[in-house]
Amino acid sequence: MSTSETAVATEVAHDDHDHPSDAKYIQIALLLGIITAAEVATYFVDIGVALIPVLMVMMVVKFFYVASWFMHLRFDSPLFTKFFVAGLILATSVYLVFLTIFEFWSKG
């Protein structure tokens, strides 16, 4: 298979799904902006011990939307979704383990 045939095959495979509308991308961008504003607001509002869990939930939600819509994970094979979710769970678990090792939770 030549390079041009490979490029055409890749382009055909990429166009197999319907692309979301511009309005959908704007909705997602607004949602990400609202979540980011909420993250920044946690600096000014004292929510106590809930700060880290709330920030981590917002991080996971933002990661999900960026990976699924802007990285087109939503339209790819479900295997890729499983890899991304496994990586997210592993990264979050490692982060929580290190917070626990360095006694972040007990320092107050």
Side-chain angles (χ1 to χ4, degrees):
M1 185 179 279
S2 70
T3 306
S4 63
E5 290 175 349
T6 304
V8 171
T10 302
E11 187 173 315
V12 169
H14 185 71
D15 290 336
D16 283 348
H17 60 83
D18 293 331
H19 287 276
S21 65
D22 292 343
K24 188 65 177 178
Y25 282 119
I26 290 171
Q27 287 175 346
I28 294 168
L30 288 174
L31 176 66
L32 292 174
I34 291 169
I35 293 172
T36 301
E39 287 174 335
V40 172
T42 61
Y43 180 78
F44 300 104
V45 179
D46 184 23
I47 57 174
V49 295
L51 177 64
I52 297 299
V54 166
L55 286 175
M56 290 192 74
V57 167
M58 287 191 277
M59 173 198 68
V60 168
V61 170
K62 285 173 61 176
F63 174 82
F64 169 77
Y65 274 101
V66 170
S68 66
W69 287 95
F70 294 109
M71 296 174 67
H72 300 269
L73 190 61
R74 183 179 180 89
F75 310 109
D76 285 336
S77 168
L79 180 65
F80 295 140
T81 301
K82 291 175 184 171
F83 280 130
F84 268 85
V85 170
L88 179 63
I89 290 170
L90 178 64
T92 305
S93 298
V94 168
Y95 187 68
L96 291 174
V97 166
F98 272 94
L99 286 176
T100 303
I101 287 173
F102 291 110
E103 300 176 2
F104 178 81
W105 308 109
S106 61
K107 288 182 181 176

